[in-house]
Amino acid sequence: MEIKGEQEFNGPRELLYELLLDPDVLAGALPGVERFEEVGPETYESTMRVGIASVRGTYTGRVEVLEQAPPEAYRLRIDGSGKPGGVRADATVELSENGSGTTMHYRAEVKARGTIARLGGRLLGGVARLLIGQFFKSIEQQVDDRAA
């Protein structure tokens, strides 16, 4: 399943790039995160609690930041699992300037397994959009606070 989109931010590209790779910012911005810590260079492990429909549960995961091109782009490899199943994703993030702000373009190829895979793309896509929306709202607040 592919998840893609774009989001506008009212701050400079360099600031957004920095925030999107800051473990403390991510821990506060990702919905349901109980733990998010660096375990190696550009490698993080996390525990998240998701309470949405059949995807409800606690998940552990690993995120690797690859192919960085500051402040323009990076790639992520994400692997997470829990009782309801798991997901593996390869994602790209590209940041472009748009006047005084920044446009973030994101795209992820997501492969689900277990119960999550059986739910189908519609439910999984809906859960992903909800979590992404909550994440962006938190990041927007961080950008606004730091750009002011």
Side-chain angles (χ1 to χ4, degrees):
M1 176 176 83
E2 183 180 59
I3 298 171
K4 63 181 180 177
E6 65 180 52
Q7 183 72 26
E8 303 288 330
F9 294 91
N10 294 320
R13 179 170 62 173
E14 292 78 9
L15 173 61
L16 185 58
Y17 190 92
E18 177 186 319
L19 290 173
L20 289 171
L21 293 176
D22 182 320
D24 294 329
V25 170
L26 293 173
L30 291 165
V33 166
E34 296 178 344
R35 179 181 68 88
F36 192 91
E37 59 189 42
E38 190 168 11
V39 295
E42 307 304 329
T43 304
Y44 306 89
E45 289 185 352
S46 67
T47 303
M48 292 179 70
R49 183 177 303 278
V50 178
I52 304 168
S54 300
V55 182
R56 181 181 318 271
T58 299
Y59 296 83
T60 57
R62 185 176 191 91
V63 178
E64 294 177 79
V65 182
L66 309 165
E67 300 171 19
Q68 292 189 55
E72 299 169 3
Y74 58 90
R75 191 175 128 233
L76 298 173
R77 182 178 305 137
I78 304 160
D79 193 13
S81 61
K83 269 191 173 178
V87 294
R88 176 168 282 159
D90 190 60
T92 56
V93 174
E94 296 177 353
L95 304 174
S96 58
E97 295 175 334
N98 65 11
S100 63
T102 303
T103 302
M104 174 186 179
H105 301 271
Y106 61 91
R107 183 185 146 310
E109 189 61 41
V110 180
K111 294 180 180 164
R113 55 192 184 273
T115 301
I116 294 173
R118 290 190 295 276
L119 295 174
R122 184 177 296 169
L123 181 59
L124 186 56
V127 170
R129 281 188 295 280
L130 179 66
L131 296 175
I132 289 167
Q134 291 173 3
F135 172 76
F136 283 149
K137 187 174 185 175
S138 179
I139 294 295
E140 283 175 353
Q141 185 63 53
Q142 291 276 346
V143 170
D144 290 348
D145 290 349
R146 295 191 190 190

